Amino acid sequence: MKGVVVKSTGSWYLVRDEAGKLHRARLRGKFKLKGMKVSNPLAVGDRVEFDVETTGEDTAVIHKIEDRENYIIRKSTHKAEHAHIIAANLDQALLIATLVSPRTSFGFIDRFLVTAEAYGIPTVIVYNKTDLYDEEMQEYQRQIAYLYERIGYKVMGVSAHANQGIDELKELLHGKTTLFSGHSGVGKSTLINLIVPDLDLKTSEISDFSDKGVHTTTFAEMFEIDPETFIIDTPGIKELGIVDIPKQELGHFFPEMRERLNQCRFNNCTHFNEPGCAVVDAVRKNEIALTRYESYLSMLHGEDNRK
């Protein structure tokens, strides 16, 4: 049988088969992923082949993981030098951000965008809590939208509290598998509850299949909106960190830098203090936003500007 992993609790996985039925499954033996040091061989969104066991307990054994189209990872919190795969086979990611209560920093947004670029995942920035804006904040929001839209990112404003922009958000999600991310407190859960009717029912259905008493907030979880539309909630993704991006390649994951890379005097230019750097020249001319360049430098030098 074939199916998709919708939840992981460590050693057990919840798999939805092609007919929509849920199966509690485990991996057969040890799976090694070629050339990857990861703490989990299987992630939410993985497509698998499995057999239902004949023990009468409605359990299954996964014997094959299909090749991934893409995936997103973070540094493992348990094993040094290992990464943790958060989710696989994504059509897009939604980064939920806020200007107030709490404020999402440019550093956090840019680190997320770089990670998504590195793993080939298109991203939309969604600003929630627009009902709290005064006129000055509305203008600031427009400036931020312009900053990111001119380098190719879609930016939306919504209000979960006032139910504004929710229909447009649903339209954006239709027919796709979407990763939801953002700091705690940005209203991600409230938005998901608005988008997925009877979410409590779906959550309890999944919980019934999971190990009782297992704390799973560090694991992603997939919810079905309709047979073609899925969202993956990711409580732990805020601890991302940049994984395995060499300094010489970092500029490739900033679209506005990528288009200028062949214009620098030196092939191995790090866009910091080298002469004849097209990126630094573009920053001076305000063609590249200073906030974006500051985010780039903080990642280049291993500093943290996510506050």
Side-chain angles (χ1 to χ4, degrees):
M1 297 179 74
K2 290 188 174 187
V4 175
V5 177
V6 297
K7 190 174 183 178
S8 157
T9 56
S11 55
W12 284 93
Y13 302 92
L14 199 59
V15 178
R16 181 187 286 111
D17 67 22
E18 291 172 309
K21 187 183 177 187
L22 296 171
H23 301 267
R24 196 162 166 265
R26 55 187 171 80
L27 273 174
R28 172 176 288 159
K30 289 212 167 189
F31 274 74
K32 298 273 190 203
L33 294 178
K34 290 173 189 170
M36 287 181 71
K37 279 190 173 182
V38 291
S39 56
N40 60 323
L42 198 56
V44 169
D46 266 326
R47 301 179 189 116
V48 297
E49 293 182 13
F50 65 96
D51 295 314
V52 176
E53 292 184 297
T54 55
T55 55
E57 293 184 15
D58 197 28
T59 55
V61 177
I62 297 163
H63 56 81
K64 185 182 177 184
I65 305 169
E66 294 186 7
D67 290 343
R68 295 179 174 123
E69 291 172 20
N70 59 29
Y71 57 88
I72 195 161
I73 65 177
R74 63 174 167 131
K75 289 176 182 175
S76 172
T77 51
H78 306 297
K79 293 184 178 179
E81 296 181 16
H82 277 65
H84 179 86
I85 305 170
I86 294 164
N89 301 315
L90 303 162
D91 292 313
Q92 62 183 357
L94 255 60
L95 178 59
I96 313 301
T98 41
L99 282 184
V100 286
S101 304
R103 181 186 69 87
T104 307
S105 72
F106 287 121
F108 182 81
I109 292 169
D110 293 336
R111 280 170 186 269
F112 186 87
L113 293 177
V114 164
T115 304
E117 286 274 346
Y119 296 103
I121 300 160
T123 302
V124 178
I125 304 167
V126 178
Y127 272 92
N128 190 21
K129 306 189 182 183
T130 55
D131 57 294
L132 300 178
Y133 293 0
D134 57 21
E135 281 187 26
E136 189 179 333
M137 290 175 70
Q138 286 173 1
E139 175 55 32
Y140 184 46
Q141 169 77 79
R142 282 192 285 270
Q143 290 173 14
I144 293 171
Y146 174 72
L147 188 158
Y148 285 103
E149 284 173 346
R150 74 173 187 168
I151 56 172
Y153 294 107
K154 182 177 173 65
V155 181
M156 289 176 61
V158 301
S159 169
H161 180 71
N163 207 6
Q164 293 169 349
I166 305 304
D167 287 341
E168 187 187 348
L169 200 55
K170 286 180 181 176
E171 208 174 290
L172 189 71
L173 300 174
H174 183 67
K176 294 179 178 176
T177 298
T178 304
L179 180 88
F180 264 66
S181 184
H183 276 309
S184 56
V186 295
K188 186 160 56 76
S189 300
T190 312
L191 279 172
I192 290 172
N193 276 299
L194 281 172
I195 292 161
V196 190
D198 66 356
L199 179 66
D200 291 341
L201 187 70
K202 292 176 190 292
T203 308
S204 63
E205 179 192 19
I206 285 175
S207 297
D208 288 344
F209 274 82
S210 303
D211 292 344
K212 297 289 187 287
V214 174
H215 190 59
T216 58
T217 52
T218 56
F219 294 101
E221 187 167 350
M222 182 187 284
F223 299 105
E224 180 181 357
I225 299 177
D226 61 50
E228 297 176 345
T229 310
F230 302 89
I231 59 176
I232 298 177
D233 188 16
T234 54
I237 205 170
K238 63 181 180 292
E239 301 152 14
L240 261 174
I242 304 297
V243 180
D244 292 337
I245 299 178
K247 288 187 177 183
Q248 279 76 20
E249 293 179 19
L250 183 59
H252 291 267
F253 307 115
F254 284 76
E256 67 272 50
M257 293 187 189
R258 186 166 58 225
E259 65 186 31
R260 293 175 166 88
L261 294 183
N262 62 356
Q263 298 169 25
C264 292
R265 187 183 301 173
F266 301 106
N267 288 336
N268 59 349
C269 186
T270 61
H271 321 299
F272 176 44
N273 54 9
E274 296 92 339
C277 174
V279 169
V280 171
D281 188 48
V283 175
R284 288 196 186 113
K285 292 176 179 174
N286 291 323
E287 292 170 2
I288 289 178
L290 185 60
T291 55
R292 291 278 290 167
Y293 184 61
E294 287 171 344
S295 290
Y296 169 79
L297 290 181
S298 80
M299 293 179 222
L300 185 72
H301 299 310
E303 297 161 358
D304 191 343
N305 71 331
R306 287 172 286 177
K307 300 293 185 285

